[in-house]
Amino acid sequence: MAFSADELRVLRRALAVALHPAPLQDEDVQDALLLAESVDEAVREAGRLRAFLLDDLARYREALPGSLSGYLELLQDALAAGYDPAADDLAALRALRRNPAAAALLARCQILAERSVRARLARVSQATATPAAATSASRARLLALPGGRASADKPKPTPTPPPAERPVPKPSEVFPPRRRPVPPPPPEERVAG
């Protein structure tokens, strides 16, 4: 995500206030709220793009082996975006491992899947080991922020409903099918000009 010069200025002011509490002007508060809304929209857009990519990946996986090159390309893009390969992906790659590109991608996916499982197991074991200590430490850090304890006493404003999400378009809607070029007429049908 890239920030404009104005957004960086707002972010710098917000960080300075977080480190050294001081009263904010109304303009600074509005700027910070607008920046937060922009970041939230970028996060939602990234989520929609990720959902579209994963749906597209599932469609290509279902069409295997005919969609091999497209599937491998989409899977590489998804992995680059932080996707953890699913069991279906590993099974599909195992079935296609005669293809050198699929075999190389299978090796990469197996490593990523193993790391993902180990990380999940580590999180589960940490959560079950000391849940009370973890929550008390996180609460202490949150209360140390400006407005942490004071804002807990104030009544909470009613949340605004989230904006309606646009439906994720199908690939055929975004990328219309390519039309095959019409072959030129045979020589005997050509008219001399």
Side-chain angles (χ1 to χ4, degrees):
M1 177 183 299
F3 291 105
S4 70
D6 288 335
E7 290 171 333
L8 285 175
R9 179 182 49 80
V10 170
L11 187 59
R12 177 186 277 161
R13 278 195 319 236
L15 289 174
V17 168
L19 293 173
H20 306 287
L24 286 173
Q25 297 177 1
D26 289 340
E27 180 183 321
D28 292 339
V29 172
Q30 291 300 324
D31 289 344
L33 290 173
L34 288 174
L35 179 61
E37 287 175 14
S38 296
V39 169
D40 289 343
E41 178 58 31
V43 168
R44 284 191 297 272
E45 185 63 30
R48 286 191 291 267
L49 183 62
R50 180 178 169 86
F52 175 77
L53 178 66
L54 295 180
D55 287 345
D56 209 17
L57 183 65
R59 282 190 285 276
Y60 273 81
R61 185 175 48 239
E62 290 170 6
L64 285 172
S67 62
L68 176 65
S69 62
Y71 173 72
L72 295 178
E73 184 178 326
L74 281 174
L75 183 57
Q76 287 175 346
D77 290 347
L79 293 174
Y83 172 68
D84 286 331
D88 293 340
D89 295 312
L90 294 172
L93 289 171
R94 282 187 193 106
L96 301 167
R97 68 178 139 208
R98 290 185 195 153
N99 181 306
L105 200 53
L106 174 62
R108 180 178 172 200
C109 286
Q110 286 175 328
I111 292 168
L112 292 173
E114 184 176 333
R115 283 183 193 161
S116 175
V117 168
R118 288 181 190 271
R120 277 187 265 145
L121 288 175
R123 282 193 303 265
V124 168
S125 66
Q126 286 177 350
T128 57
T130 57
T135 56
S136 65
S138 65
R139 283 188 187 140
R141 276 186 270 132
L142 288 176
L143 294 176
L145 292 175
R149 193 176 302 249
S151 65
D153 299 336
K154 296 179 184 177
K156 296 180 182 177
T158 58
T160 59
E165 290 191 27
R166 294 179 283 172
V168 177
K170 296 178 186 174
S172 60
E173 295 170 348
V174 177
F175 306 106
R178 293 183 182 167
R179 294 202 166 82
R180 294 187 179 154
V182 177
E188 47 286 335
E189 291 182 15
R190 291 187 187 162
V191 178

